[in-house]
Amino acid sequence: MPIELYRSDTLLVRQVAIEGCDRWVITFDHHSIGDGFDREGFGESFLQANGISAIHVLGRGNDWYQYEDIFAAAAVVRAATSGAARRVAYGSSMGGYAAVRLADAIGADAVLALSPQWSIDPAIASWDNRWSQDAHRIRWLSTMAVPLRPAPSSVLVYDPHLQLDRRHALLIAEQTGSHLLPVAHCLHPASTFLGEVSLLRGLLEDLLYDRFDARTMTTEIRARRATSSVYLGALAERQPAVRPRTAIALARRARLVKPDSALGMLSLARILTRTGHHDEALEIHRQIAIKVNRLPIYLVPFANALVSAGEGEEAIAVAGEVVDAEPDVGHLRNWFATMLWQRGERAAAVAHMARAVALNPTERRYRRKLFRYRLARHAWTMLDIMTLQGIRQRAADRKRNAALAAS
């Protein structure tokens, strides 16, 4: 039965103990897992179903655990598991960052970090702007930015083809001595791929029982990766333009091996759009939208596919649905503004671009784009006025000439 160990306005620590299991996994949330505390912790159902004792550290929002009381919460975790045979800090992406940064504070013996960040603090990692709006909003704690301590039992899983993920992993490993486990075409985060090939539990247990072997795990991954829609889909999308048939074949294989995978369907739809098979691509996008209950993250590529297919009116409708569902995300406003501008809806484009700037005022690209839009809109307005004046003048001239001819 879950037991609440710690609660504040910013953090909740919940314990889910399994009888007879004195090895603990301490988890941290990934981005967009949900705001507030009325939800499960990261991997809570999975760990409980697999008989693994866990403590879940839930953050109030997408704040990379930059809370004044984070070390007080960490101390509670450390005390609650003081008699454990082994403790593993576990997280994915933002949660991977927290697992790495807080491992020492919670007394972890090892870390499993899937596609983690070393930092996204603009002051020290300005090269990663994937979460720019959050990064500039967050008040970064100096106590979380100290050099990492060695953690040789830890494992970092990442896609080496993703330049930013690779850079983060290398920086973490440089300071901690962690094992690097690069998994080609596993995308971000690596957790979805590991779950598809049924290696997530094995990887966690290897760390819980201190028996992790990188060579053995790499062999297992290579043996199973052809059964993953994530792997096959990513491999398909990374094919060069001169190999369209190979890309389509891989994408169809991705859907075949996991027919219920929305990611596999999405890879196929994107490849079909890229190769000009618009009708089939849009049909798959419509199926995905129903399957995922129109989640905005899947509607974005749907809208893009509609644009490519020349279905501009429907694209605007779908994109508008995305923005309505996520009204405070600057990069989506920027994306929508671009689409509106291309459709000639200049006033609406300027309004959404202005909102993007308001949401993320430190993003210079947005400010420059808004300036260009406003300038161009003014120029078009003046041209429209001049054109209208010219039409009226020509009509007046014709009327006057007709009157003169009649006289």
Side-chain angles (χ1 to χ4, degrees), residues 72 104 272 353:
D104 187 59
L272 290 169
M353 204 62 236

PDB file of all heavy atoms in Angstrom, residues 72 104 272 353:
ATOM      1  N   ALA A  72      15.797  18.380   1.047  1.00  0.00           N
ATOM      2  CA  ALA A  72      15.055  17.901   2.218  1.00  0.00           C
ATOM      3  C   ALA A  72      14.282  16.643   1.847  1.00  0.00           C
ATOM      4  O   ALA A  72      14.266  15.655   2.612  1.00  0.00           O
ATOM      5  CB  ALA A  72      14.100  18.983   2.715  1.00  0.00           C
ATOM      6  N   ASP A 104      23.618  11.062  -5.258  1.00  0.00           N
ATOM      7  CA  ASP A 104      24.403  11.113  -4.024  1.00  0.00           C
ATOM      8  C   ASP A 104      23.528  11.511  -2.836  1.00  0.00           C
ATOM      9  O   ASP A 104      23.642  10.956  -1.744  1.00  0.00           O
ATOM     10  CB  ASP A 104      25.560  12.092  -4.191  1.00  0.00           C
ATOM     11  CG  ASP A 104      26.514  12.063  -3.000  1.00  0.00           C
ATOM     12  OD1 ASP A 104      27.066  10.984  -2.718  1.00  0.00           O
ATOM     13  OD2 ASP A 104      26.686  13.110  -2.364  1.00  0.00           O
ATOM     14  N   LEU A 272       5.619   8.144 -45.965  1.00  0.00           N
ATOM     15  CA  LEU A 272       4.697   8.222 -47.112  1.00  0.00           C
ATOM     16  C   LEU A 272       4.520   9.662 -47.567  1.00  0.00           C
ATOM     17  O   LEU A 272       4.483   9.947 -48.770  1.00  0.00           O
ATOM     18  CB  LEU A 272       3.351   7.600 -46.735  1.00  0.00           C
ATOM     19  CG  LEU A 272       3.365   6.078 -46.565  1.00  0.00           C
ATOM     20  CD1 LEU A 272       2.061   5.605 -45.936  1.00  0.00           C
ATOM     21  CD2 LEU A 272       3.596   5.378 -47.904  1.00  0.00           C
ATOM     22  N   MET A 353       2.225  34.980 -33.316  1.00  0.00           N
ATOM     23  CA  MET A 353       3.657  35.214 -33.154  1.00  0.00           C
ATOM     24  C   MET A 353       3.930  36.110 -31.956  1.00  0.00           C
ATOM     25  O   MET A 353       4.899  35.905 -31.199  1.00  0.00           O
ATOM     26  CB  MET A 353       4.228  35.837 -34.436  1.00  0.00           C
ATOM     27  CG  MET A 353       5.713  35.602 -34.629  1.00  0.00           C
ATOM     28  SD  MET A 353       6.116  33.850 -34.787  1.00  0.00           S
ATOM     29  CE  MET A 353       7.321  33.681 -33.484  1.00  0.00           C
TER      30      MET A 353
END
